[in-house]
């Protein structure tokens, strides 16, 4: 087998044991890697209903066949587990040297089981595995932890670590790597923390098995150069992802004031132009030639690396329009190891609930200083407020009650990313049907919707486009594992990816083969939900109710007086389910399962809920 | 008539300005405006007029705000 190392490293933190296992060619071809490997493993190995923060959950680091091999932008790793935030399957990807190092150490997947009794650093070097004490950095932020690791193991080591957020089981704690990389929004950092796993350090020295390494080397190097030139020509990385803020503000899709508003006259103060002007450094992932991380000096003089989601959720959504203060909030999230999107959603919800008199508190929109303190409380789970904020907006709303559920901006428990869909039915569908909760990475349909369709329409074309994008973004890029930005931002065609895959594996796949893998993964994620939540209903695929509330409509601007229509959204959801071959609840039918090679999984799922023919 | 043009992302550099108000002849279309601001029409872009996507050849009106952005496909 070429392309895959064929090996899994299974580590038990309770027993401090490890073993090398192999996987079959059939498994590799059916699930490819990354999200596919992680999902299938968690499906097969997790007991239904387990506590995601208990020792029975498993933390997975999964790679794909092109991961780590120099080519456009293959430096990403998937981290996955049962999510403590949503209760379903959870994952995320991040740029890290772990990608290359773990593959060179000879593994395509790391499965971490059990829980250590003391803070632990898991050290992997080829066939060696060590369980090392990490008490010295337990309680420290991710920057200090990273430095501590670099001092001991060198800067080339692959590192994943957590901050105080993960240690204290903040439910939206992420996994961190390098200077500013972060991934695993649905609480993957908390899962590491629950296992007292402070960090994973990986070094590898073996070649990655490839069918035609010489051809791949030339191809990868040439294509990295071409992508670099395409980026320079388009000028994308000048503002990188942050350019979108000004556009969202113009078209009334910016998150402002817990998404109550869609535009703000001060938005320009934190937009891509201001960010580029304030730039002091640029950061990126390994094997990338279009670095997108723009670092600025924050209010306290520290370096803070920002992207659009950060300025949208910690800036406009909180009505904090001082760029250096947004930088500070972002720095703190990164250092504590908190997801910036959820942190912005949670603080926005808290300010909104206080505003409405639904909960007592002293936080107001625009108060950047208080927001910093609240992030600290949330990361450390300090006091009642810290504990409440650390649980995410879904649980906060349940606790606060008084109708606050309607404006808790989450789907399935995961806070909505920085696109305000008050009048974007297609993008709302994308958030609604994202199987891990409201994440933009699955299907970013908003520019298609606003430019090529009637914005206020709910036609089948929108459902088709969401599925097309989910196959590419939530599918291909998450299991072959590469960053989607060369394709989405500078026009690097998708056709290159089967070429890389085939050169590395010696197979002859077309894009159609990949789409089927993506559909299989999406179907199994739904079975995962059914298994965890036998009373699953289509309402789990609804976006937040605030977007349907006419009292929430903009009073001026391009979408004045308009909001989403629930009945029509239901119609759009029907189109989506129909196109996917899922029933009216949004669960794959038996026939669909069979077509996707999921007969066994369908039989197992039926123990938890009926499947339609 | 007065029309304000807002450039986003790389178009700020291509056009040489971020936001500017132009005095245009009545009946000027969005396509003609792009020529005036020296943006190659072959470049992938999304153009919005008062927050709504424009249709080809759409005529501008006094007080309009036109936004020219790259074809982001998302974060
Ligand atoms: S484009 Fe940005 S996110 Fe993608 S690989 Fe490069 S630096 Fe990482």
């Amino acid at each position: 087998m070429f392309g895959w190392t064929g090996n899994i490293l299974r580590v038990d933190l309770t027993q401090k044991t490890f073993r090398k296992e192999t996987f079959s060619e059939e498994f590799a071809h059916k699930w490819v890697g990354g999200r596919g490997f992680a999902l299938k493993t968690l499906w097969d190995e997790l007991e239904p209903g387990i506590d995601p923060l208990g020792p029975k959950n498993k933390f997975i680091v999964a790679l794909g066949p092109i991961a780590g091999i120099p080519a456009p932008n293959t430096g990403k790793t998937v981290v996955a587990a049962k999510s403590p935030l949503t209760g379903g399957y959870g994952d995320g990807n991040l740029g890290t040297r772990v990608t290359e190092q773990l593959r060179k150490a000879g593994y395509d997947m790391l499965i971490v089981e059990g829980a250590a009794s003391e803070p632990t650093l898991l050290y992997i070097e080829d066939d060696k595995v060590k369980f090392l004490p990490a008490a010295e950095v337990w309680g420290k932020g991710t920057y200090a932890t990273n430095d501590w690791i670099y001092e001991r193991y060198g800067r080339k080591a692959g590192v994943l670590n957590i901050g105080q957020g993960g240690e204290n089981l903040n439910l939206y704690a992420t996994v961190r790597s390098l200077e500013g990389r972060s991934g695993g929004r649905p609480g993957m950092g908390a899962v590491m923390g629950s296992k007292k796993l402070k960090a994973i350090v990986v070094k590898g020295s073996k070649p990655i098995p490839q069918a035609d390494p010489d051809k791949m080397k030339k191809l990868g190097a040439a294509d990295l150069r071409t992508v670099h030139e395409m980026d320079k020509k388009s000028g994308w990385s000048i503002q990188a992802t942050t350019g979108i803020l000004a556009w969202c503000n113009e078209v009334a899709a910016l998150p402002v004031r817990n998404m109550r508003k869609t535009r703000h006259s001060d938005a320009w103060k934190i937009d891509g132009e201001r960010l580029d002007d304030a730039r002091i450094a640029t950061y990126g992932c390994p094997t990338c030639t279009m670095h997108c991380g723009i670092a600025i000096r924050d209010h306290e003089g520290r370096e803070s690396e920002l992207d659009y989601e950060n300025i949208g959720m910690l800036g406009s959504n909180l009505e904090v329009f001082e760029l250096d203060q947004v930088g500070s909030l972002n720095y703190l999230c990164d250092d504590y190891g908190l997801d910036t999107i959820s942190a912005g959603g949670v603080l926005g919800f808290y300010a909104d609930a206080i505003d409405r008199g639904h909960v007592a508190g002293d936080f107001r929109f625009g108060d950047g200083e208080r927001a910093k303190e609240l992030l600290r409380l949330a990361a450390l789970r300090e006091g009642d407020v810290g504990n409440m904020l650390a649980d995410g907006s879904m649980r906060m709303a349940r606790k606060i009650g008084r109708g606050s559920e309607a404006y808790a901006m989450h789907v399935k428990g995961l806070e909505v990313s920085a696109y305000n869909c008050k009048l974007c039915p297609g993008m709302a569908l994308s958030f609604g049907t994202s199987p891990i909760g409201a994440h933009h990475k699955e299907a970013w349909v908003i520019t298609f919707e606003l430019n090529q369709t009637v914005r206020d329409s709910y036609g089948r074309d929108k459902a088709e486009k969401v599925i097309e994008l989910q196959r590419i973004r939530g599918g291909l890029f998450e299991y072959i594992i590469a960053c989607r930005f060369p394709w989405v931002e500078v026009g690097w065609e998708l056709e290159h990816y089967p070429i890389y895959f085939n050169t590395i594996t010696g197979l002859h796949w077309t894009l159609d083969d990949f789409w089927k893998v993506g559909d299989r993964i999406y179907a199994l994620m739904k079975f995962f939900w059914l298994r965890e939540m036998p009373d699953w209903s289509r309402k789990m695929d609804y976006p937040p109710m605030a977007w349907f509330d006419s009292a929430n409509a903009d009073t001026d601007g391009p979408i004045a007086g308009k909001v989403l229509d629930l009945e029509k959204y239901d119609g759009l959801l029907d189109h989506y389910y129909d196109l996917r071959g899922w029933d009216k609840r949004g669960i794959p039918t038996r026939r669909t399962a069979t077509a996707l090679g999921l007969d066994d999984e369908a039989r197992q799922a039926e123990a938890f809920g009926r499947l339609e023919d | 008539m007065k029309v304000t043009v807002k450039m986003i992302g790389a178009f700020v550099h291509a056009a040489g300005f971020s936001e500017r108000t132009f005095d245009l002849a009545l009946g000027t279309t969005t396509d003609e405006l792009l020529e005036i601001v020296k943006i190659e029409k072959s470049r992938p872009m999304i153009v919005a007029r008062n927050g709504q996507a424009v249709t080809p050849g759409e005529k501008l009106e006094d007080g309009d705000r036109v936004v020219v952005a790259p074809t982001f496909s998302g974060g």
Side-chain angles (χ1 to χ4, degrees), chain A residues 154-226:
Chain A
R155 298 185 76 84
K156 288 198 174 149
V159 179
L160 299 175
N161 70 42
I162 58 167
Q164 299 94 328
E167 292 174 11
N168 292 295
L169 312 183
N170 175 301
L171 299 187
Y172 42 94
T174 53
V175 178
R176 298 260 303 148
S177 192
L178 296 165
E179 296 82 4
R181 315 272 81 108
S182 191
R185 289 191 56 208
M188 298 302 100
V191 176
M192 274 183 77
S194 72
K195 298 185 177 306
K196 287 230 165 23
L197 181 58
K198 179 68 176 172
I200 298 171
V201 178
V202 192
K203 284 183 178 178
S205 64
K206 302 174 194 172
I208 301 168
Q210 299 180 56
D212 195 339
D214 292 339
K215 183 174 169 197
M216 191 59 225
K217 195 172 173 187
K218 283 188 204 125
L219 185 63
D223 287 358
L224 278 166
R225 272 196 302 277
T226 309

Side-chain angles (χ1 to χ4, degrees), chain A residues 465-476:
Chain A
K465 191 69 177 179
V466 167
I467 292 171
E468 179 192 324
L469 290 174
Q470 287 176 338
R471 284 181 177 142
I472 299 168
R473 297 169 58 109
L476 180 71

Side-chain angles (χ1 to χ4, degrees), chain A residues 72-76 93-95 181 236 240-241 283-293 305 307 482-486 489:
Chain A
N73 299 12
T74 55
K76 296 264 184 172
N93 73 58
L94 71 164
R181 315 272 81 108
W236 175 73
T241 59
Y283 291 107
C285 308
T287 65
C288 170
T289 51
M290 46 185 283
H291 286 184
C292 71
E305 184 194 323
D307 69 13
C483 170
R484 58 190 178 265
F485 285 165
E489 304 294 7

Side-chain angles (χ1 to χ4, degrees), chain A residues 92-279:
Chain A
N93 73 58
L94 71 164
T96 169
R97 290 195 195 96
V98 165
T99 313
E100 184 190 0
Q101 296 298 331
L102 192 61
R103 295 263 282 159
K104 285 188 170 168
Y107 309 105
D108 293 316
M109 178 158 59
L110 165 68
I111 304 173
V112 182
E113 303 177 338
S117 54
E118 300 295 331
T120 297
L121 182 151
L122 180 66
Y123 181 80
I124 301 161
E125 187 171 353
D126 291 332
D127 297 333
K128 276 189 293 187
V129 175
K130 290 182 188 168
F131 301 84
L132 302 172
E136 213 180 308
V137 279
W138 194 255
K140 292 226 158 70
T142 63
Y143 289 108
T145 304
N146 217 34
D147 288 345
W148 183 81
I149 290 168
Y150 280 166
E151 274 168 29
R152 280 156 185 77
Y153 304 102
R155 298 185 76 84
K156 288 198 174 149
V159 179
L160 299 175
N161 70 42
I162 58 167
Q164 299 94 328
E167 292 174 11
N168 292 295
L169 312 183
N170 175 301
L171 299 187
Y172 42 94
T174 53
V175 178
R176 298 260 303 148
S177 192
L178 296 165
E179 296 82 4
R181 315 272 81 108
S182 191
R185 289 191 56 208
M188 298 302 100
V191 176
M192 274 183 77
S194 72
K195 298 185 177 306
K196 287 230 165 23
L197 181 58
K198 179 68 176 172
I200 298 171
V201 178
V202 192
K203 284 183 178 178
S205 64
K206 302 174 194 172
I208 301 168
Q210 299 180 56
D212 195 339
D214 292 339
K215 183 174 169 197
M216 191 59 225
K217 195 172 173 187
K218 283 188 204 125
L219 185 63
D223 287 358
L224 278 166
R225 272 196 302 277
T226 309
V227 167
H228 179 70
E229 281 153 20
M230 289 169 82
D231 173 46
K232 288 287 155 250
K233 190 159 173 239
S234 73
W236 175 73
S237 60
I238 297 171
Q239 294 184 20
T241 59
T242 66
I244 200 82
L245 184 135
W247 181 78
C248 284
N249 194 43
E250 295 287 344
V251 299
L254 190 68
V256 179
R257 219 179 163 80
N258 194 33
M259 303 209 181
R260 295 250 176 219
K261 295 184 184 174
T262 61
R263 306 183 305 150
H264 199 288
S265 57
D266 284 338
W268 65 273
K269 294 179 180 170
I270 57 166
D271 72 7
E273 262 185 271
R274 263 34 66 180
L275 210 61
D276 182 39
D277 289 345
R279 180 196 307 257

Side-chain angles (χ1 to χ4, degrees), chain A residues 234-235 238-239 243-244 246-247 250-251 271 273 419 440 444 447 450-451 455 473 484-485 488-489 558, chain B residues 6-10 12-13 18-19 43 46-48 50-53 65 67 69 71-75:
Chain A
S234 73
I238 297 171
Q239 294 184 20
I244 200 82
W247 181 78
E250 295 287 344
V251 299
D271 72 7
E273 262 185 271
Y419 304 95
H440 60 287
W444 202 86
T447 46
L450 266 56
N451 292 295
R455 180 167 181 170
R473 297 169 58 109
R484 58 190 178 265
F485 285 165
V488 293
E489 304 294 7
Chain B
K6 163 89 181 146
M7 295 292 170
I8 290 180
V12 175
H13 295 260
S18 169
E19 183 168 331
R43 269 186 89 148
I46 48 182
V47 183
N50 303 325
Q52 314 280 1
R65 182 173 175 83
V67 175
T71 48
F72 309 102
S73 296

